[in-house]
Amino acid sequence: MSQNPTRSLGFMLGTAVVLGLAPLLPAAETGPADPLFSRHVVPLFSRLGCNAGSCHGAVKGQNGFRLSLFGAEPSADHERLLRDAGGRRLNPNEPEASLLLLKAAGQIAHQGGKRLDVGGPEYRLIRDWIAAGAKLDQVGKSFVTKLSATPALQTVKQGESYPLKVTAVFADGSTEDVTALCSFEPANKELARIHPSGLVEALAVGDTALVARYRSEPTVAMLVSPRAGAEPFPDVQPVNFIDKHVLDKLRRLNIHPAELCDDVTFLRRVSLDVTGALPAPEEIRAFLADAAQDKRQKKIEELLARPGYAALWATKFCDILRPVGFEAKLGFSEPAETRRFYEWLRARFQENTPYDQLAERILLATSREGRSEQDWAAEVKAMAEENARKSADLTAYSGRQTLDLYWQRSNAAGVKGALQVSHAFLGLRLECAQCHRHPHDVWQQDDLLSFANFFMRVPAGGEKSSSPAMTKEADNLGKEIKDLKDEAKKLADQAKDKSLPKDEAAKLQAESKNLAEKAVALEGAAKRMKGTEIHTGGKAAFASVTSTLGKQDSKQFRMLGDTKPQTVPADQDPRLPIVAWLKQPENPFFARAVVNRVWAHYFGRGIIDPPDQLSPLNPASHPELLAELCADFVKHGHDLKHLHRAILASRTYQQSAKTNATNRHETTNYASFYLRRLPAELLVDAVNHATGGSETYPPELHLPAGAKALEVAGSTGGEKGKATLQYAFHIFGRPQRSPEVQCDCERDTKPTMAQTLYLANHPAVQQKIASPQGRVAQLIKDVPEDGKRIDEMFLWALSRLPTDDERQTCGKYLKESPSPQRGLEDLLWGLLNTREFLLNH
């Protein structure tokens, strides 16, 4: 055992023993009369931290002794205790001489230090079990069928305490108070402290989850500690059910909500959040002049219909689905395939495809989609020709019903594919379960492997997966490829003729290069025809992983969270039952995952946060709200725009970021609008909007002239030195979308000094401000008066008019500047370097 177990992510409950070594039972009690190994001894190991990941529960154990993480495998633990160290760990003839007790009581050297007192209740429990023969009980009877903590919700004042009781119901029908055998930890340690005995103390105003773990099973209770104060709660009326839930909780906490934001703040906020773009001055003026009571709702509808909505959500889903890993050796062009992936998603969001259908069209994708080999061969050839032309208009793929490119990525199938599907569509992080029980969640290896079996028949990248007919189609390209290469060589040789004028020689060289590139592209098409078809007839296989713990496999098909396996006929696509399961209204993850992510987009945090960690150890801040949002989403046919409308129309979304005395320190219950830094793409586009600038792109990115940063499909890794926005993307946290990173946190939203220096000093920003074709130059040309120039500059940069003081100060500065150009450049630079510009507020 280690001396100081490490806490991780706030949920590693096995280490809660560092809070103290208080006895788990009052001294007068003796604990269970006949302690059972799986029901009492193993949970005690968990409570003392012995089987935590930082101690003997580590993958390789500690100092030659290993226990299963959090006691997930009692039988294996008993075997190790009985056999390891020559059997000296247990001594039924003289229990007190057992190595297990001597080390734990600090009677002999123990790296983990003293964990229990001689004669104390923990000591007596283990001693009595050893004295009774150190037997392994029938583990199945002690399987926990239900674990609950009471009170499930407790409201107490700051500084007050109350006891938490944990009750387990076992497979044999018995019920037992297991509080003394649990480890405890609050989700937010600033709000609560839990004594090892289960006594909870409220430390500050707010609410937090209290997580108790009995052996490897978790349960959660909630603590609410309201603010002291007798001020009446303001008379705030909910706009919809979202507000009702949020306001009800704020009343319980005695925290007052912020006022509504003004119209100009709402317009800037909703424009950025829905379309990724700032409103133009004429749109701002028109919105402020509109006296209609429903103008905000009308603006929401208008923005949801704009192309920017689909572009923004295609970008967000590329973050989630990670379109990378298209291998050149298989005939793919990564920039082109990434662009096609993005455009396919954008088209679906533009159509407002129901989310369950969107998931189905991704997860059940095939290459031919029921078409003939010849039709698919023609599609592959057309895409190759687009690649050779470096076309910005990749139309050959856009008409497809399904996204087979999702499965064309490397590691898209098998265990790796199961990890990606569970993260993207279920909001679950299962990476740790590849090797052992997840230390911060409920998932075990068998859960992951049994789920991965549904994806084992999808042909993996590089696997020969096409039919003989497709191989023939590929071979038919051979003559065309040879003719192209011959013609390219012929033109290249002609271009070497020194008697030719330079322009004619250059023309021949260009034609030769184009033909050679087309030949290379068609060679790629031939490779794809021979070996990259995604179909339903993959060979039967079962999932396995190999780690330092050995090889583990599963030969059953089982959904995550289910206890019963499913039967999948050999001739059936195993992905079919996955999609059917996802579409069930009672699915515990599918709707919750996307609803929670959409909510997080608008508020900067999920109702379950992080938004991709839907775990019982990570409860929702507003569980009833999340449940109603999901039910409403499913009831309306998984309509994403309906979900957006409900959130955007709520008072909760439309309230001000200006706090009051009661909510100044509140960060989880939506008492005000939480400030958010603009994402990388939106920040770049906002700079271009304010300065009148634009980006340049190399042709291999397949982007049209004038495209926005939001429309860049691929990761920035391959753009270094080619696209002017690469550095901005990097420092403002645009993700690389690595398939090895299953975490929404790869998009980094944290502020850094490099971001401040970029806006203040980077040559690209300076050049856009001073450009002869930029905003400043245009205003000097078109607007003769300084006052109107100042108004326009504020509208373009901050989406509002200046205050009287701002207008006066700026006017004085312009008059004192050496030239109108220099003065307006300085003004624009100053506006770009305000928090108001950098944040969505």
Side-chain angles (χ1 to χ4, degrees):
M1 303 179 200
S2 63
Q3 183 70 32
N4 293 302
T6 306
R7 298 173 189 254
S8 56
L9 299 180
F11 291 105
M12 191 159 184
L13 304 177
T15 63
V17 295
V18 298
L19 293 173
L21 290 174
L24 59 86
L25 291 171
E29 297 187 27
T30 60
D34 298 305
L36 303 178
F37 181 73
S38 65
R39 191 174 297 196
H40 303 112
V41 177
V42 170
L44 179 56
F45 290 161
S46 296
R47 191 257 184 205
L48 295 176
C50 307
N51 55 23
S54 57
C55 201
H56 296 292
V59 172
K60 294 184 178 181
Q62 196 75 261
N63 293 326
F65 178 45
R66 189 174 82 82
L67 293 169
S68 63
L69 189 64
F70 299 140
E73 302 171 16
S75 298
D77 291 342
H78 183 266
E79 180 68 16
R80 294 188 189 101
L81 280 168
L82 203 63
R83 307 296 180 192
D84 285 1
R88 292 184 300 119
R89 297 193 189 281
L90 303 177
N91 187 344
N93 294 323
E94 190 179 352
E96 290 81 359
S98 298
L99 197 61
L100 179 65
L101 283 173
L102 292 172
K103 284 199 168 192
Q107 293 174 287
I108 61 174
H110 178 221
Q111 185 177 342
K114 183 179 178 181
R115 313 310 291 177
L116 46 79
D117 294 322
V118 175
E122 301 100 327
Y123 184 95
R124 294 198 304 273
L125 188 151
I126 297 175
R127 183 201 60 198
D128 291 350
W129 170 71
I130 297 173
K135 298 175 183 177
L136 176 65
D137 55 291
Q138 296 183 41
V139 175
K141 289 186 177 182
S142 292
F143 177 81
V144 177
T145 59
K146 182 180 180 182
L147 190 69
S148 58
T150 53
L153 172 65
Q154 181 74 11
T155 300
V156 295
K157 295 178 181 178
Q158 182 178 348
E160 292 182 344
S161 301
Y162 68 95
L164 194 66
K165 178 182 178 181
V166 183
T167 304
V169 179
F170 298 102
D172 63 2
S174 61
T175 300
E176 189 170 330
D177 179 351
V178 295
T179 308
L181 297 170
C182 289
S183 53
F184 300 94
E185 189 166 10
N188 187 331
K189 298 179 182 65
E190 294 180 357
L191 296 181
R193 177 167 50 232
I194 312 179
H195 191 272
S197 65
L199 185 69
V200 180
E201 180 184 357
L203 302 179
V205 173
D207 66 304
T208 184
L210 309 172
V211 188
R213 190 192 290 272
Y214 169 72
R215 206 164 62 198
S216 60
E217 300 298 325
T219 188
V220 176
M222 295 295 298
L223 173 147
V224 175
S225 181
R227 184 186 64 89
E231 312 98 315
F233 195 83
D235 184 19
V236 177
Q237 297 302 313
V239 172
N240 58 21
F241 68 88
I242 292 173
D243 301 324
K244 180 181 181 301
H245 289 291
V246 171
L247 291 171
D248 283 350
K249 187 168 183 185
L250 291 177
R251 283 191 186 91
R252 291 199 300 272
L253 291 167
N254 195 24
I255 295 175
H256 298 180
E259 301 291 335
L260 280 176
C261 68
D262 58 31
D263 282 343
V264 74
T265 300
F266 168 78
L267 180 61
R268 181 183 188 273
R269 179 189 298 173
V270 75
S271 297
L272 285 168
D273 278 346
V274 176
T275 69
L278 290 168
E282 59 271 19
E283 182 179 1
I284 299 168
R285 288 191 169 97
F287 188 72
L288 293 177
D290 189 349
Q293 293 294 312
D294 62 346
K295 68 178 183 180
R296 292 193 179 191
Q297 192 61 40
K298 287 180 179 177
K299 180 56 68 174
I300 290 169
E301 291 298 329
E302 177 189 332
L303 292 170
L304 287 171
R306 288 185 187 175
Y309 161 78
L312 187 149
W313 283 94
T315 294
K316 290 190 75 70
F317 267 75
C318 281
D319 285 356
I320 296 168
L321 299 176
R322 303 175 183 273
V324 294
F326 300 102
E327 296 188 27
K329 67 181 182 181
L330 300 178
F332 292 103
S333 164
E334 176 128 333
E337 313 316 337
T338 303
R339 178 96 235 137
R340 291 184 177 104
F341 196 110
Y342 171 90
E343 291 295 349
W344 188 93
L345 286 171
R346 176 152 69 171
R348 304 294 79 76
F349 288 115
Q350 194 67 43
E351 299 164 357
N352 196 31
T353 301
Y355 183 67
D356 58 338
Q357 294 181 28
L358 177 69
E360 180 175 2
R361 291 166 68 173
I362 295 171
L363 294 177
L364 294 184
T366 61
S367 295
R368 285 199 276 133
E369 299 180 329
R371 298 172 294 173
S372 68
E373 285 94 342
Q374 292 75 20
D375 286 342
W376 184 56
E379 179 184 285
V380 172
K381 182 181 178 183
M383 288 191 288
E385 291 171 343
E386 289 176 341
N387 295 352
R389 295 194 303 270
K390 296 183 174 61
S391 172
D393 188 16
L394 302 178
T395 59
Y397 196 82
S398 59
R400 289 181 52 89
Q401 284 295 304
T402 66
L403 185 66
D404 77 323
L405 284 172
Y406 178 82
W407 298 105
Q408 300 284 14
R409 302 167 306 133
S410 58
N411 295 323
V415 175
K416 296 289 187 182
L419 292 174
Q420 294 176 48
V421 169
S422 60
H423 178 260
F425 295 101
L426 305 176
L428 300 174
R429 301 180 188 174
L430 304 182
E431 300 96 312
C432 291
Q434 293 177 92
C435 298
H436 51 75
R437 182 188 178 91
H438 200 303
H440 319 302
D441 215 323
V442 298
W443 308 111
Q444 303 196 54
Q445 270 186 310
D446 191 62
D447 296 318
L448 172 60
L449 296 177
S450 298
F451 185 65
N453 281 331
F454 290 101
F455 308 106
M456 293 300 294
R457 296 182 196 170
V458 181
E463 177 184 331
K464 185 171 178 59
S465 57
S466 297
S467 65
M470 287 307 302
T471 300
K472 183 178 180 180
E473 291 289 335
D475 292 340
N476 289 340
L477 285 179
K479 183 179 185 305
E480 184 175 351
I481 293 169
K482 182 178 183 303
D483 290 345
L484 286 169
K485 287 183 175 180
D486 290 345
E487 183 64 18
K489 185 177 184 305
K490 176 182 175 183
L491 293 176
D493 290 342
Q494 292 175 5
K496 294 176 183 177
D497 187 343
K498 295 184 178 180
S499 65
L500 288 176
K502 287 186 177 180
D503 58 342
E504 188 173 338
K507 183 178 179 181
L508 289 171
Q509 287 174 342
E511 290 178 4
S512 172
K513 181 181 178 182
N514 288 338
L515 291 174
E517 288 179 347
K518 184 176 180 180
V520 170
L522 289 180
E523 285 177 332
K527 292 177 182 176
R528 290 186 64 175
M529 292 176 194
K530 288 181 178 180
T532 66
E533 181 184 353
I534 301 300
H535 54 80
T536 62
K539 62 183 181 182
F542 291 100
S544 66
V545 291
T546 301
S547 69
T548 54
L549 299 180
K551 183 177 180 180
Q552 176 83 7
D553 60 16
S554 171
K555 291 184 169 56
Q556 64 178 5
F557 296 85
R558 183 163 52 81
M559 301 299 178
L560 291 170
D562 285 358
T563 57
K564 297 180 180 178
Q566 296 192 9
T567 300
V568 179
D571 59 349
Q572 182 186 39
D573 184 349
R575 298 175 299 172
L576 283 168
I578 286 284
V579 171
W581 174 64
L582 293 182
K583 295 172 73 171
Q584 293 174 0
E586 64 273 16
N587 184 287
F589 309 113
F590 180 63
R592 280 161 58 91
V594 69
V595 167
N596 195 49
R597 276 186 168 122
V598 171
W599 180 275
H601 168 73
Y602 288 116
F603 293 99
R605 59 173 289 115
I607 299 174
I608 296 174
D609 199 70
D612 59 342
Q613 195 171 347
L614 273 59
S615 162
L617 276 71
N618 185 31
S621 62
H622 297 70
E624 296 85 1
L625 169 58
L626 181 58
E628 188 164 354
L629 276 168
C630 292
D632 186 63
F633 178 60
V634 173
K635 177 183 176 182
H636 286 85
H638 294 84
D639 184 339
L640 286 166
K641 285 191 176 181
H642 174 82
L643 175 61
H644 291 292
R645 288 187 194 100
I647 295 173
L648 294 167
S650 70
R651 185 194 183 283
T652 304
Y653 176 78
Q654 295 186 21
Q655 64 188 339
S656 173
K658 297 176 182 178
T659 59
N660 55 50
T662 73
N663 67 18
R664 189 166 293 120
H665 304 294
E666 193 284 312
T667 59
T668 61
N669 289 297
Y670 313 104
S672 62
F673 186 83
Y674 302 142
L675 301 176
R676 290 181 273 118
R677 198 207 74 207
L678 298 186
E681 300 91 337
L682 273 62
L683 190 282
V684 172
D685 285 337
V687 169
N688 287 333
H689 175 91
T691 63
S694 61
E695 301 304 321
T696 57
Y697 308 101
E700 53 265 32
L701 289 184
H702 303 274
L703 278 166
K708 293 186 175 182
L710 181 61
E711 299 174 272
V712 175
S715 69
T716 59
E719 298 161 14
K720 190 171 184 179
K722 298 180 180 180
T724 61
L725 77 168
Q726 190 275 337
Y727 179 67
F729 274 7
H730 171 68
I731 64 169
F732 283 98
R734 190 178 198 259
Q736 294 292 326
R737 296 170 179 161
S738 167
E740 299 301 319
V741 181
Q742 303 302 319
C743 183
D744 289 4
C745 61
E746 194 190 10
R747 179 174 285 276
D748 192 351
T749 59
K750 296 189 296 292
T752 66
M753 181 59 70
Q755 296 164 8
T756 302
L757 293 174
Y758 173 82
L759 289 172
N761 299 321
H762 198 277
V765 177
Q766 302 287 345
Q767 289 165 10
K768 290 174 181 179
I769 292 174
S771 170
Q773 291 79 41
R775 188 76 61 212
V776 169
Q778 194 67 37
L779 287 178
I780 290 175
K781 177 183 176 182
D782 297 342
V783 182
E785 300 176 16
D786 279 353
K788 291 183 178 179
R789 288 171 176 170
I790 293 169
D791 286 355
E792 289 297 306
M793 197 65 76
F794 267 77
L795 288 169
W796 280 109
L798 302 184
S799 304
R800 66 169 175 85
L801 290 166
T803 64
D804 290 342
D805 287 346
E806 289 169 335
R807 188 179 285 109
Q808 183 178 352
T809 301
C810 293
K812 182 175 182 294
Y813 184 84
L814 292 183
K815 284 183 173 60
E816 295 173 353
S817 296
S819 68
Q821 176 79 23
R822 176 61 184 273
L824 284 176
E825 286 178 9
D826 289 349
L827 172 58
L828 179 53
W829 178 89
L831 295 176
L832 295 182
N833 282 277
T834 61
R835 291 178 74 246
E836 190 174 353
F837 176 78
L838 186 62
L839 302 176
N840 196 351
H841 51 81

